[in-house]
DNA sequence: CTTGTTCAAG
DNA sequence: CTTGAACAAG
């Protein structure tokens, strides 16, 4: 028996809004550890990884591991029937060919339950290597969304160039070219911060970031990579999940676009860069 | 000569918005008593009854009864030309082949008048029996709208089951099933309220309802009926007219969905239930 | 968080 | 052209 109750149902709604356009069908893996999903988009260019840890739920019970194959569009339809301030409970028995979504409003005078048939989806469970990235950029998720949206009105791809002090987004198209450069917010603070980070671990770093640190760059090696804006714009639907987005880049590796979900986990999107030689093939 | 002036023109606009998709042409009956309409929708499945009492108008004059046959789409087009805070005056002389809509903005520095040709529409004036209903549900019109909209993303019909303590809305479709249960808000208050209603008439009852009474059920007999969501969703366009909606149900009778228009009257929609044996025919 | 408005998609 | 989604304001 699997049962997971999340007080703030809007989180689950937002998560599905952010991935349902990318992936049509996917297996949710329910374990004692949490509620997780990994799936490639239908064109096999991008990958989404969701983790909602069991500790982040209001109530969580998972007697044995369950795989729930769902059509994300249908799941999203049902979640849309929940109010943003509803509590959402997901349930499946071990036989597990049906999932139940239960919505309760805060006053508990309206209770809805929605049943959806589960599907058999065979997927190769893609192990994602835990790489060290050459560049890590943390910035306002709103700003990142704005940049991706703005640039897609000019071109189809964006080249992201990360240096020690800035991240530059570049595109070009029929009507012209565009460069958007975001400087790392404060050089002095950053150096100090880095020292502290090494001493005290990630925590100081995070605290600093939330204190008006707009762009935060952690660089081993300058990186320049090109991506399809179409996918980045899709990823940006997760913007409302988190104030900040983290981009991780390494030469010839997929970018990782991560939105943290407070106290619960994350949504991560992976997108392979365009290889220059392949540009002709992609168009 | 007929002349009716309503200060809050938005009411008339909303009324037309709520019925124009249901009924294409209809006769408005103008009498000393008020401005009324009864018409079946084009598929003869539902019926709309509108009453705007003369006492609710800012100015009302009706020397002799007039029947004004109008195309509601055209009437609605004209009313859309009125601002929401405009005063609307309707006029017809006794010859009566033309109706005039006059719009005045509050500052009285903009006055519009629109003339529309009337039509001859022959309708059997359907007498609607004043039935005692087995179940009466009063609830937030917003919530009712939300429920009907949500359920139509799952199925085409809704089964409404009213019991002493709750009203349950159920549907099912290809992707699954859904139940939404609204509990009668507070049992203790309800009983007290009923007594007061008998003593002091309807007024106390209404006052109570607006004080956070979400769902109010008056039951002679538990009722379960099934309706086409398409029509209910159409009825719900009247939601902005009134905070609360009243549903009246009896076995094998059309449901009455009523929106009160404060100090003026009501819009009522009637919809015949689906009979089980007919389900096959309907698909 | 609700409402109104505006924009895009079917 | 109609309807749903995104945005902004209260």
């Amino acid at each position: 028996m699997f049962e997971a109750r999340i007080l703030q149902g809007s989180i689950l709604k937002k998560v599905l809004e952010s991935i349902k356009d990318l992936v049509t069908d996917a297996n949710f893996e329910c374990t004692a550890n949490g509620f997780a999903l990994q799936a490639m988009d239908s064109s096999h260019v991008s990958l989404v990884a969701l983790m909602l840890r069991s500790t982040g739920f209001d109530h969580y019970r998972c007697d044995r591991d369950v795989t729930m194959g769902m059509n994300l569009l249908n799941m999203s339809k049902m979640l849309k029937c929940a109010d943003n301030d509803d509590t959402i409970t997901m349930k499946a028995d071990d036989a597990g060919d049906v999932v139940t979504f239960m919505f309760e409003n805060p006053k508990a005078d309206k209770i809805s339950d929605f049943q959806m048939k589960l599907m058999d989806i065979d997927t190769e469970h893609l192990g994602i290597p835990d790489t060290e990235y050459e560049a890590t950029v943390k910035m306002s998720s709103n700003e990142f969304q704005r940049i991706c949206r703005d640039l897609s009105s000019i071109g189809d791809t964006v080249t992201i160039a990360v240096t020690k002090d800035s991240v530059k987004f570049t595109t070009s198209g029929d009507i012209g070219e565009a460069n958007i450069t975001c400087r790392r917010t404060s050089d002095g603070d950053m150096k100090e911060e880095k020292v502290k980070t090494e001493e005290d671990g990630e925590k100081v770093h995070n605290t600093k970031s939330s204190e008006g640190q707009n762009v935060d760059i952690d660089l081993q090696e300058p990186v320049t990579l090109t991506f399809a804006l179409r996918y980045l714009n899709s990823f940006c639907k997760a913007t409302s999940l988190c104030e900040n987005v983290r981009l991780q880049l390494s030469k010839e590796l997929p970018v990782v676009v991560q939105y943290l979900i407070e106290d619960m986990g994350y949504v991560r999107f992976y997108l392979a860069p365009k290889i220059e030689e392949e540009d002709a093939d992609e168009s």
Side-chain angles (χ1 to χ4, degrees), chain A:
Chain A
M1 156 118 194
F2 168 71
E3 189 171 316
R5 173 184 160 97
I6 179 170
L7 215 66
Q8 206 180 333
S10 58
I11 290 178
L12 202 59
K13 289 176 56 133
K14 286 178 190 169
V15 164
L16 251 98
E17 278 307 298
S18 77
I19 63 178
K20 72 163 209 289
D21 293 326
L22 222 48
V23 180
T24 54
D25 304 307
N27 281 325
F28 286 88
E29 308 287 347
C30 313
T31 66
N33 194 38
F35 187 72
L37 170 151
Q38 280 189 20
M40 299 204 72
D41 77 305
S42 29
S43 60
H44 279 235
V45 175
S46 68
L47 187 148
V48 52
L50 164 72
M51 168 50 80
L52 300 176
R53 284 187 295 272
S54 55
T55 52
F57 287 87
D58 185 43
H59 166 72
Y60 195 93
R61 173 179 166 187
C62 186
D63 298 339
R64 66 178 192 81
D65 294 0
V66 185
T67 297
M68 303 200 294
M70 303 198 209
N71 175 291
L72 296 191
L73 200 70
N74 291 340
M75 180 179 176
S76 166
K77 270 190 192 172
M78 290 194 166
L79 291 184
K80 275 186 188 152
C81 300
D83 257 325
N84 279 328
D85 52 356
D86 279 358
T87 292
I88 298 182
T89 306
M90 297 183 286
K91 281 187 208 175
D93 50 32
D94 284 344
D97 51 353
V98 166
V99 60
T100 296
F101 301 104
M102 204 171 89
F103 312 139
E104 296 169 89
N105 70 350
K107 289 197 294 177
D109 56 2
K110 179 183 171 190
I111 299 179
S112 317
D113 62 273
F114 288 66
Q115 281 77 39
M116 188 173 79
K117 278 212 194 79
L118 295 176
M119 336 166 43
D120 270 324
I121 303 168
D122 47 275
T123 55
E124 61 291 38
H125 184 84
L126 292 174
I128 300 169
D130 203 356
T131 324
E132 280 285 311
Y133 285 88
E134 293 167 354
T136 300
V137 177
K138 209 177 290 182
M139 63 187 293
S140 148
S141 57
N142 277 316
E143 195 165 318
F144 180 65
Q145 181 178 44
R146 179 70 197 267
I147 290 169
C148 291
R149 181 164 23 103
D150 286 351
L151 292 188
S152 27
S153 69
I154 311 294
D156 296 328
T157 63
V158 60
T159 300
I160 305 179
V162 189
T163 64
K164 188 168 61 72
D165 292 320
S166 73
V167 51
K168 185 165 87 169
F169 302 88
T170 303
T171 191
S172 76
D174 296 338
I175 68 169
E177 294 167 22
N179 294 286
I180 301 177
T181 304
C182 301
R183 298 195 75 78
R184 173 209 261 173
T185 312
S186 130
D187 203 52
D189 286 0
M190 281 299 297
K191 283 194 181 123
E192 189 190 353
E193 185 183 343
K194 265 199 182 171
V195 175
K196 279 195 185 160
T197 303
E198 282 158 20
E199 285 169 2
D200 305 339
E202 192 78 16
K203 194 153 186 184
V204 172
H205 189 85
N206 281 336
T207 309
K208 272 278 178 180
S209 294
S210 60
E211 276 171 6
Q213 189 82 36
N214 277 332
V215 177
D216 179 352
I217 297 173
D218 187 355
L219 193 75
Q220 309 299 319
E221 186 72 30
V223 185
T224 298
L225 292 169
T226 300
F227 302 97
L229 279 165
R230 184 189 146 207
Y231 290 97
L232 295 182
N233 275 314
S234 187
F235 301 167
C236 285
K237 296 197 169 148
T239 296
S240 59
L241 279 170
C242 184
E243 290 242 310
N244 297 106
V245 62
R246 188 190 69 183
L247 313 178
Q248 292 178 299
L249 302 102
S250 278
K251 198 168 189 310
E252 289 170 15
L253 280 187
V255 61
V256 187
V257 181
Q258 171 181 277
Y259 297 87
L260 284 183
I261 303 166
E262 198 175 15
D263 297 331
M264 291 206 81
Y266 56 80
V267 199
R268 288 186 191 141
F269 301 98
Y270 296 76
L271 178 63
K274 297 249 178 192
I275 309 301
E276 287 205 22
E277 287 73 23
E278 285 183 0
D279 276 0
D281 305 337
E282 301 280 342
S283 65

